Amino acid sequence: MTTLIDGTAIAATIRDEIKDDVARLKAQHGITPGLATVLVGDDPASATYVRSKRKACAEVGIESFGYELPATTTQDELLRLVAELGQRADVHGILVQVPLPDQIDEKTALDAVPIQKDVDGFNPANLGVLGVKGQRPVFAPCTPQGCIELLDRTGVKIAGKRAVVLGRSTIVGLPVALMLLSRDATVTLCHSKTVNLPSVTREADILVAAIGKAHFVTADMVKPGAVVIDVGTNRIADPTRKSGSRLVGDVDFEAVKEIAAAITPVPGGVGPMTIAMLLKNTLLAARRRAEK
Ligand code: GUN
């Protein structure tokens, strides 16, 4: 029997735990965790993401401070706001939603977030130490952390397993590979130049797909009994839907679920975990402040 890894349910459990911890932090230290969200421009998908993040904050008792800047905002204006938020005692975490408009260099903007408030875990100093033995990041990036948490909470052992990650993006593929390595998996990181990809993916006990191509991973690429984590969220046309489209993952779910031991659906797998990990990092940031 294939286990469906229910990210919606696991994320709900984590949010309940966070809600209790937030209440305890308030009672014991009088501190309410605060997250500043910075949205530049009017990309509808980004606006929806930020709204979901702020709603999730409200549900667990985290205060969110929303900043919505026009698409014409200059890099200096954004950097000034980030610097100001960096100084504020009631802001424990800062999230600059990406993508940013063309006139703003994304790397410069993300690097400006002080590492102690980088709850997205996007700062290169946070990403870099993931690969260093004996060191831990101030904050682990949310989506990779969500993947690991799904494995842990499903009872999947990581140490000693063959893990194959598809995609080497800076915010998902590379960090999830480093995190699996730090948990003692034997890791292969595949990308667009990998030769004979199916022969590599078929070796995986744990297969993580993060390439952003709908239904890319087919059943012949998966070892029977593998655990499959699908990070993809791809919108494809679907005339049977009122909206005319639907979200699918990087994995051909219907075919792969027949041979995998466990698999995450899309939607309802990794997606809800990303926000749960953002809340967890914001709580952690506030806790560190309380302990200072
Ligand atoms: N854009 C898409 N996903 C994310 C995310 O997790 N954090 C930020 N800051 N921007 C994003």
Side-chain angles (χ1 to χ4, degrees):
M1 256 285 285
T2 305
T3 301
L4 189 70
I5 304 177
D6 185 348
T8 304
I10 294 172
T13 303
I14 294 171
R15 287 198 304 271
D16 282 346
E17 294 166 7
I18 292 171
K19 191 172 179 176
D20 290 346
D21 288 347
V22 167
R24 208 168 302 124
L25 187 70
K26 279 185 198 172
Q28 290 176 353
H29 296 276
I31 287 183
T32 300
L35 174 70
T37 61
V38 181
L39 176 64
V40 188
D42 32 39
D43 174 50
S46 290
T48 304
Y49 280 135
V50 170
R51 213 175 307 121
S52 308
K53 290 169 184 178
R54 296 194 64 198
K55 183 165 167 270
C57 282
E59 281 166 6
V60 299
I62 292 176
E63 188 158 7
S64 71
F65 307 94
Y67 291 84
E68 293 178 13
L69 308 181
T72 51
T73 302
T74 65
Q75 181 165 301
D76 278 352
E77 284 167 336
L78 176 61
L79 293 181
R80 266 199 297 281
L81 172 63
V82 171
E84 191 187 300
L85 295 170
Q87 295 297 320
R88 267 176 54 179
D90 57 345
V91 171
H92 304 98
I94 301 171
L95 178 146
V96 179
Q97 187 71 18
V98 294
L100 291 163
D102 289 348
Q103 72 276 17
I104 299 172
D105 178 54
E106 201 160 283
K107 184 177 178 313
T108 307
L110 296 179
D111 286 4
V113 175
I115 193 160
Q116 298 301 332
K117 297 193 178 187
D118 176 33
V119 287
D120 255 332
F122 282 180
N123 190 298
N126 268 328
L127 290 170
V129 297
L130 287 174
V132 181
K133 202 173 166 74
Q135 283 194 37
R136 300 182 68 132
V138 181
F139 298 104
C142 298
T143 301
Q145 195 184 162
C147 294
I148 303 289
E149 192 88 34
L150 282 178
L151 294 171
D152 285 343
R153 290 190 185 234
T154 310
V156 176
K157 296 271 176 294
I158 299 174
K161 295 285 175 63
R162 282 293 304 261
V164 175
V165 177
L166 287 180
R168 56 179 157 182
S169 74
T170 314
I171 59 172
V172 183
L174 179 62
V176 84
L178 293 171
M179 289 168 89
L180 288 163
L181 182 65
S182 76
R183 293 283 301 270
D184 298 324
T186 301
V187 181
T188 305
L189 180 52
C190 300
H191 45 77
S192 54
K193 302 285 191 297
T194 299
V195 174
N196 199 357
L197 187 64
S199 72
V200 182
T201 56
R202 271 197 302 271
E203 298 256 301
D205 302 309
I206 298 170
L207 180 61
V208 180
I211 43 171
K213 288 190 179 158
H215 295 159
F216 182 86
V217 177
T218 47
D220 60 308
M221 295 169 72
V222 179
K223 177 163 85 174
V227 175
V228 180
I229 304 291
D230 190 351
V231 185
T233 42
N234 311 290
R235 192 163 284 285
I236 61 164
D238 182 350
T240 68
R241 299 282 174 103
K242 218 166 82 184
S243 65
S245 68
R246 70 189 160 103
L247 285 182
V248 298
D250 290 349
V251 176
D252 180 356
F253 179 82
E254 289 304 323
V256 172
K257 81 175 190 328
E258 299 301 322
I259 57 168
I263 184 167
T264 61
V266 177
V270 175
M273 295 298 288
T274 298
I275 296 187
M277 295 302 104
L278 174 70
L279 302 174
K280 189 174 164 187
N281 279 351
T282 305
L283 168 67
L284 180 62
R287 240 192 219 143
R288 285 179 181 149
R289 178 98 196 168
E291 284 160 7
K292 257 194 180 165

